[in-house]
Amino acid sequence: MIVDVHAHLTPEAYLAISGGLGGSFENRFTGHPDVHSLEQRFEQMAQAGVTRQILSPTTAPYCEVEAEAVAAARLVNDSLSAASRANPDLLSFWVSLPLPHVEASMAELARGMDELGAVGVVVGCFCLGESIASPAFEPLYAELERRKGIVFLHPCQNGICSPQVNDWGLTVCAGASMEDSVAAMHLIAAGIPSRYPAVRFIVPHFGGIMPMLLNRLDGQMPQASLAEKPSVTARRFYYDTVGWGSRAALLAAVEAFGAAQIVTGSDYPVLLRHESYKQTFDNIRDSGLPDDVIAQILGNAEMLMAGARRKGGDEA
């Protein structure tokens, strides 16, 4: 069973709000409207052999004004919850949080998971320019530790706040993967995965440049306050398979992290401008990896989510 952990459904009413705030939202909409009906989506899922998508918006509801952030988060969470409950065998969703407002985010996390049925939380790689490993956000990780929760990271399209990226038109094509890598390294440097070991993190796009950095992190990252080598922590993260058809990226991630840490993702519907939904997963099937490794990669996300459901039941 293939579960797509990286699929987008952005309600029109939510897009209208994010556009109307003049850019105060993080990760403003980047021109990839979800033009497909749910019926078309489900047909494409069947063709690709995907049994479930876990939905998130393309745009994070991060806003300086707390009331506006809360309203936006509630709107998108209510919408994705309604879609999931109407199609429980095909759709689930990640709850979005009204960061940087921590108390409001704690309330929305509880509402999303306990009332709306979210399977975990989506967190932007940055929050209005602030690292997600900032001490201010640690209450969220403590609560997710209590819940044994899953965090799906997603780029904010801020080009790691660098004019060397953004002024050269590289914000989306390269900056997104840089965000993935920097966010993962911030979490490692802050020791968050070691202090909250029950929280599972999914890093998108094969972790960006992370597969190439593990030895260097062990050799050059400051480690005086770390409980383990950076490479050990990195190999406890999960990494999704959104790679724009790059076999090299897939092979590097498998070599660096191990096949057990690779979970299926598509960036639906963004990659439909590059390849069909079926092709996204055929890239894994046709990668030349051993059959048992391919089967493991295609099934990892389902096992991860099944484990999350069991642990959620234990909590209850």
Side-chain angles (χ1 to χ4, degrees), residues 74-201:
R74 290 179 67 92
L75 189 160
V76 73
N77 291 331
D78 287 343
S79 297
L80 297 188
S81 175
S84 299
R85 287 180 169 174
N87 304 277
D89 294 332
L90 295 169
L91 300 176
S92 300
F93 78 104
W94 306 111
V95 61
S96 297
L97 305 178
L99 291 170
H101 313 288
V102 174
E103 289 189 11
S105 293
M106 296 280 281
E108 189 63 12
L109 171 63
R111 189 179 81 95
M113 297 194 71
D114 298 338
E115 299 178 24
L116 301 184
V119 296
V121 59
V122 56
V123 173
C125 289
F126 292 85
C127 178
L128 303 179
E130 182 67 50
S131 171
I132 59 167
S134 167
F137 301 141
E138 291 227 12
L140 283 171
Y141 297 120
E143 175 60 13
L144 286 162
E145 172 76 7
R146 186 187 72 82
R147 291 176 176 271
K148 301 179 175 63
I150 301 175
V151 175
F152 171 60
L153 302 180
H154 193 270
C156 295
Q157 309 298 1
N158 70 357
I160 59 172
C161 304
S162 171
Q164 301 298 333
V165 176
N166 297 323
D167 291 357
W168 288 82
L170 304 176
T171 305
V172 179
C173 68
S177 292
M178 294 178 188
E179 286 188 59
D180 304 332
S181 307
V182 170
M185 287 186 281
H186 282 188
L187 290 169
I188 293 171
I192 287 174
S194 297
R195 285 183 284 114
Y196 305 108
V199 181
R200 275 71 49 79
F201 291 92

Side-chain angles (χ1 to χ4, degrees), residues 60-79:
Y62 299 169
C63 181
E64 297 92 340
V65 181
E66 181 173 341
E68 293 177 347
V70 170
R74 290 179 67 92
L75 189 160
V76 73
N77 291 331
D78 287 343
S79 297

